[in-house]
């Protein structure tokens, strides 16, 4: 009699593969949680494998980062700034040039033109050290570049805001980083 294929062999192969994916996902989730706890960051996990982290900033008040552990990859997204009011081509060129200098992350633009920092890596590469490194790169890309992006894409709005505050006697100290833009207006 010939051997009948009941499909069990295939099912077992899929089960083992599925188990390996689950193990990778659990390891990645544990690595992310360990890194977030070690860094003493504010974070939550609204559902298993999903993490929302608040990175404190210097130029930008904070940057919210989303980690999503998928079946094979970790996806990371962080909003940086809304669609530029002006000089869109200049902003995009700056982002593309800056992408060449970043480690593990890159700038992206959504369908509305809003700017994000994104990353995608295999679950097997997710460790607490790599998660910490990604967080540092995201913070540098979002917070470190924030004023430059404002200058490139919102110079007119900055000048208008400064003039409006002066006309009303409002403080302008939080616009000091853009004094060089304002001097150009006065010249």
């Amino acid at each position: 009699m010939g051997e009948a294929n009941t499909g069990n062999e295939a099912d077992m192969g899929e089960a083992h593969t599925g188990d390996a994916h689950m193990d990778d996902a659990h390891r990645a989730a544990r690595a992310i949680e360990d890194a977030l706890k070690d860094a003493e960051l504010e974070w939550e996990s609204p559902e298993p494998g999903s993490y929302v982290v608040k990175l404190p900033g210097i130029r930008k008040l904070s940057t919210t980062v989303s980690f999503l552990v998928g079946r094979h990859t970790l996806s990371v997204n962080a909003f940086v700034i809304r669609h530029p009011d002006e000089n869109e081509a200049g902003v995009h060129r700056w982002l593309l040039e800056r992408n060449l200098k970043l480690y593990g992350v890159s700038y992206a633009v959504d369908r509305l033109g809003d700017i994000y920092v994104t990353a995608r890596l295999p679950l097997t590469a997710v460790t607490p050290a790599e998660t910490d490194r990604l967080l540092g790169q995201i913070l540098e890309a979002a917070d470190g570049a924030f004023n430059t992006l404002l200058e490139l894409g919102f110079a007119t709005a900055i000048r208008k805001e400064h003039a409006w505050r002066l006309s009303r006697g409002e403080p302008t100290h939080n616009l000091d980083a853009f004094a060089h833009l304002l001097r150009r207006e006065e010249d």
Side-chain angles (χ1 to χ4, degrees):
M1 287 197 167
E3 293 182 34
N5 183 352
T6 62
N8 290 340
E9 294 84 1
D11 289 344
M12 288 184 67
E14 286 178 21
H16 289 302
T17 302
D19 289 345
H21 292 308
M22 288 305 293
D23 287 347
D24 288 344
H26 289 314
R27 275 193 298 274
R30 207 168 26 251
I32 292 166
E33 290 177 15
D34 289 348
L36 298 176
K37 289 174 186 171
D38 287 348
E40 299 179 355
L41 294 169
E42 184 180 326
W43 62 279
E44 64 182 17
S45 181
E47 60 185 55
S50 176
Y51 302 90
V52 179
V53 183
K54 185 176 181 180
L55 296 177
I58 295 170
R59 294 163 195 86
K60 185 178 181 189
L61 183 59
S62 66
T63 299
T64 301
V65 183
S66 167
F67 287 86
L68 183 59
V69 178
R71 189 167 172 185
H72 302 285
T73 60
L74 171 67
S75 297
V76 184
N77 291 292
F79 176 79
V80 177
I81 198 166
R82 68 177 177 82
H83 181 275
D85 287 347
E86 59 193 341
N87 190 24
E88 188 172 353
V91 171
H92 291 170
R93 180 179 179 91
W94 187 90
L95 294 172
L96 288 170
E97 289 175 0
R98 179 73 183 225
N99 274 345
L100 295 172
K101 299 174 184 170
L102 296 174
Y103 171 83
V105 300
S106 59
Y107 289 105
V109 178
D110 71 6
R111 64 182 174 74
L112 300 174
D114 294 340
I115 299 167
Y116 290 80
V117 174
T118 66
R120 186 175 305 262
L121 59 153
L123 293 181
T124 55
V126 180
T127 64
E130 191 63 22
T131 302
D132 185 62
R133 189 176 296 120
L134 282 174
L135 288 168
Q137 282 291 293
I138 291 166
L139 187 59
E140 175 56 30
D143 186 68
F146 190 66
N147 286 354
T148 301
L149 290 169
L150 285 175
E151 289 176 27
L152 289 171
F154 301 92
T156 301
I158 291 168
R159 289 184 187 106
K160 285 181 181 177
E161 177 71 13
H162 184 261
W164 180 83
R165 288 183 186 195
L166 286 177
S167 73
R168 298 181 54 96
E170 300 281 337
T172 60
H173 63 275
N174 67 336
L175 296 174
D176 287 348
F178 308 105
H180 60 284
L181 289 175
L182 304 172
R183 277 193 297 272
R184 282 189 213 149
E185 182 182 71
E186 294 167 1
D187 292 344

